[in-house]
Amino acid sequence: MKESLLVTGGTGYIGSHTVVELITAGYDVEILDNLYNSKIEVLDQIEQLTGVKPKFYEVDLRDSEALANVFAGKKYDAVMHFAGLKAVSESTKKPLKYYENNLGGTFNLLRCMKDYSVKKLIFSSSATVYGDQPSPFNETLPTGEKISSPYGRAKYMIEEILKDLCASDLGFSVAILRYFNPAGAHPSGLIGEDPNDKPNNLMPIIMKVATGEFPELLVYGDDYNTPDGSCIRDYLHVVDLARGHLAALKHIQPGWTAYNLGSGEGTSVFDMITAFEQASGKKLPYKVVERRAGDLAAFYADSTKAQTELDWQTEFDINDIMRDTLNYLDHQNG
């Protein structure tokens, strides 16, 4: 019998790619999403890729009654929790919005899981929990110190809540996946990053500049202590990231465990501009402006633990990320 999974935020960017990988691997998947920053049409695209259209619940995790009705309708073997607001810079301007949404929704989800005896959880965390420390980051480093945004602090708080939950109930198995910088799109071009509101991540902004929707790319600072002065990030192909969730699900153990999911390589903003220009054959207009609140100079992963314990490793690089993003853009523009 197929294992049954509930995926919160499953029509979003990372969630939808993970749903495709889960269905392809033979799992029975249902999706819960409030469509705040995603589109219902993603369900049709998932069906095109997998031959299966997942059951969908348009529910906000903060609606405890509606959430309980979802759990009452089916016995799930595990939950993958992607749902949440995710813009670092916005969180510094609207901290209460981020704490109320990301913490409140998670509280309700965990209560339902306990009430309905669903004891396996894969949680979408972030490398921001490490704060401002020298890279590369590995899982032995302290977390919770010098975190530069409410977004990151909310992720850290949820990790700590999950630690306490596992300590109080030994039946729980929780895998924390600390993402670095997801980018790219499904190689088919059918799904990719398509936020409803103004994008905050570098790749969708680059694409909007490429299509003329934005006049230029704003480079937030060229005076960081990095080789070219721009911020350095660890860009991870979204399909590699999605497959990391399958690996975590297959190897999940009782208790609480954290894993970094990253490529292990740092790429600067200017490197990304160069990679785009090489992949597209077009120049990308940009302008250097003041630093953005909450941004760190550099962070990239040591993912040895995930490679060793989950048998996971990346298969795609920056060139693949650019190729697949441009392919997705071509499909979007038809």
Side-chain angles (χ1 to χ4, degrees), residues 25 36 41 63 87 106 109 177 187 189 199 238 260 262 266 281 288 318 327:
Y36 175 80
E41 290 79 14
D63 185 341
T106 301
L109 177 64
L177 302 184
V238 67
N260 289 339
V288 177
I318 290 295
N327 185 33

Side-chain angles (χ1 to χ4, degrees), residues 30-87:
E30 295 188 351
I31 293 174
L32 181 151
D33 204 303
N34 64 2
L35 300 177
Y36 175 80
N37 199 29
S38 61
K39 297 176 174 64
I40 193 68
E41 290 79 14
V42 168
L43 296 175
D44 296 325
Q45 294 151 357
I46 291 172
E47 184 178 22
Q48 281 185 261
L49 288 168
T50 65
V52 175
K53 190 169 187 175
K55 187 170 185 178
F56 176 76
Y57 304 95
E58 186 174 350
V59 170
D60 191 304
L61 287 178
R62 292 170 296 177
D63 185 341
S64 55
E65 183 177 350
L67 183 60
N69 288 336
V70 172
F71 274 84
K74 187 162 185 177
K75 172 62 178 173
Y76 298 108
D77 294 293
V79 172
M80 286 197 180
H81 181 26
F82 296 94
L85 301 174
K86 64 175 187 175

Side-chain angles (χ1 to χ4, degrees), residues 224-230 232 268:
Y224 285 96
N225 185 24
T226 61
D228 64 17
S230 67
I232 288 176
S268 75

Side-chain angles (χ1 to χ4, degrees), residues 35-255:
L35 300 177
Y36 175 80
N37 199 29
S38 61
K39 297 176 174 64
I40 193 68
E41 290 79 14
V42 168
L43 296 175
D44 296 325
Q45 294 151 357
I46 291 172
E47 184 178 22
Q48 281 185 261
L49 288 168
T50 65
V52 175
K53 190 169 187 175
K55 187 170 185 178
F56 176 76
Y57 304 95
E58 186 174 350
V59 170
D60 191 304
L61 287 178
R62 292 170 296 177
D63 185 341
S64 55
E65 183 177 350
L67 183 60
N69 288 336
V70 172
F71 274 84
K74 187 162 185 177
K75 172 62 178 173
Y76 298 108
D77 294 293
V79 172
M80 286 197 180
H81 181 26
F82 296 94
L85 301 174
K86 64 175 187 175
V88 170
S89 60
E90 183 189 45
S91 77
T92 64
K93 300 180 182 75
K94 301 177 180 178
L96 295 182
K97 176 181 177 181
Y98 272 68
Y99 290 129
E100 191 270 336
N101 185 89
N102 293 6
L103 292 172
T106 301
F107 287 145
N108 284 343
L109 177 64
L110 295 177
R111 287 191 195 101
C112 273
M113 289 181 67
K114 278 190 70 70
D115 289 346
Y116 290 92
S117 298
V118 183
K119 297 293 184 79
K120 290 183 182 179
L121 176 68
I122 312 292
F123 174 58
S124 167
S125 191
S126 166
T128 56
V129 301
Y130 291 114
D132 189 2
Q133 301 184 67
S135 290
F137 297 152
N138 65 55
E139 295 86 351
T140 65
L141 291 174
T143 58
E145 301 173 9
K146 297 182 181 179
I147 297 175
S148 60
S149 69
Y151 164 79
R153 279 189 284 275
K155 290 291 189 185
Y156 167 73
M157 290 174 188
I158 293 170
E159 287 196 7
E160 293 299 299
I161 290 163
L162 292 172
K163 276 185 187 176
D164 291 338
L165 175 63
C166 289
S168 69
D169 187 336
L170 300 182
F172 265 91
S173 301
V174 175
I176 304 290
L177 302 184
R178 294 173 179 160
Y179 306 166
F180 282 69
N181 285 72
H186 194 274
S188 66
L190 287 174
I191 54 175
E193 190 165 12
D194 187 21
N196 288 341
D197 54 6
K198 184 178 179 180
N200 288 276
N201 296 332
L202 180 61
M203 278 302 300
I205 294 174
I206 287 176
M207 292 305 115
K208 286 191 178 294
V209 175
T211 59
E213 291 183 60
F214 292 176
E216 59 194 356
L217 172 68
L218 300 181
V219 178
Y220 293 98
D222 64 352
D223 58 350
Y224 285 96
N225 185 24
T226 61
D228 64 17
S230 67
C231 288
I232 288 176
R233 296 292 180 264
D234 184 335
Y235 292 96
L236 172 68
H237 197 293
V238 67
V239 173
D240 280 330
L241 179 56
R243 291 172 180 168
H245 291 76
L246 267 73
L249 184 61
K250 290 175 182 175
H251 293 86
I252 196 167
Q253 299 292 324

